[in-house]
Amino acid sequence: MKEKWLNVSFRYGAIVVIIGVLAFFSATLPYFWTYDNLMDILGSIAIVTFVAIGVTLSLIVDGFDLSVGATVSLTTVVSASLMVWYEQPVAVVIIVSLAVGALVGLLNSLLIIKLRIPDLLATLAIMYIVSGIHKTYAQGYTIYNHMQFPDGSKASGEISPAFLLLGQGKWLGIPISVILLLLAVAVVHTFLTYTKHGRQMYVTGGNEEAARLSGIRVKKVRTLAYVASGVFAAIAGILYASRVGSGQIDAGSPLLMEAVAAVFVGFSVFGAGKPNVIGTFIGAVLIGVLVNGLTMMNVQYFVHDIVKGVVLVLALAVTFYVLNRRRT
């Protein structure tokens, strides 16, 4: 009976917790269970979920990308500066920002695969480098419309209204960022679950030597995983700049830990026991619901991290306890 309840909690614990949290906040807060507030929750987690998808892809190939937060910061200031400083069209802004994210992922894979530096150390080094680059590039300033430079002159450009639609606009009452998020989750889940290349990523992460002997080009698979991680972080940076209407330095610093929490909470969703994009999305929803509800209850912001930490500990405790029992 104990084993049965452990397996049930392992498979459905995160879903039950989300339902319980929703029920609690709905009964406590009169304006919580409204369409506008639920859309606001999904809109608020869109950015961190894109970051978390990148972390998920790196974990699938048995890696860990710590540079995603710094990549968000870099692409946020790059996208804003291209419009404010150089008056570039939206298409150029998006392409250049995505290319920057892909380049960061490529640098990670170069250090990890070619130079054989452990994932955590390589991505930690890139995190510091990228963080320094974006602060140097922005000269420590937030980039905003017609900003004033130290010499007294002003920037001639401004954030494009079309660009702002990505983070602030709606289509049929649904935030565009939410539509992009749901589309990304569906596409990545389909890729990982139903395509040969997606399955190769899981095989590579499960046993790299066995994957190599079976004919999988493991170096290529791991490289593409890190490049994809950088691209998803870049998308998050674009959405961040669009949502706030400016390029803020260190914008992505707090996103790394929230993304990691969402990914590991997702391990226990439906008993997956491994990184998966559906679980990551559900983990991000759980964290978003908690933050939204606590904010509406006027709980001090510094308590939020305690709650998120407790949720993560409980999810990890159940997940790894059950996995270790299965192995033994």
Side-chain angles (χ1 to χ4, degrees), residues 247-263:
Q248 299 183 5
I249 61 171
D250 275 337
S253 296
L255 297 179
L256 173 61
M257 290 299 101
E258 290 195 11
V260 171
V263 171

Side-chain angles (χ1 to χ4, degrees), residues 17-48:
V17 170
I18 291 177
I19 294 174
V21 169
L22 287 172
F24 172 76
F25 285 139
S26 299
T28 308
L29 304 168
Y31 299 106
F32 179 81
W33 193 260
T34 62
Y35 178 81
D36 289 339
N37 189 55
L38 294 178
M39 287 297 104
D40 184 61
I41 292 173
L42 290 176
S44 66
I45 69 167
I47 297 172
V48 71

Side-chain angles (χ1 to χ4, degrees), residues 48 51-53 55-56 58-59 64-66 68 254-267 280 283 287 312 316:
V48 71
V51 179
I53 291 174
V55 176
T56 301
S58 67
L59 283 171
F64 200 172
D65 191 353
L66 290 175
V68 287
L255 297 179
L256 173 61
M257 290 299 101
E258 290 195 11
V260 171
V263 171
F264 282 107
V265 169
F267 271 47
T280 295
I287 294 173
L312 179 58
L316 292 177

Side-chain angles (χ1 to χ4, degrees), residues 254 258 261 265 287-288 290-291 294 301 303-313:
E258 290 195 11
V265 169
I287 294 173
L290 285 171
V291 171
L294 293 173
Y301 73 93
V303 179
H304 295 183
D305 287 341
I306 299 175
V307 176
K308 287 186 283 188
V310 170
V311 171
L312 179 58
V313 166

Side-chain angles (χ1 to χ4, degrees), residues 308-323:
K308 287 186 283 188
V310 170
V311 171
L312 179 58
V313 166
L314 291 176
L316 292 177
V318 173
T319 298
F320 288 99
Y321 181 75
V322 173
L323 289 178

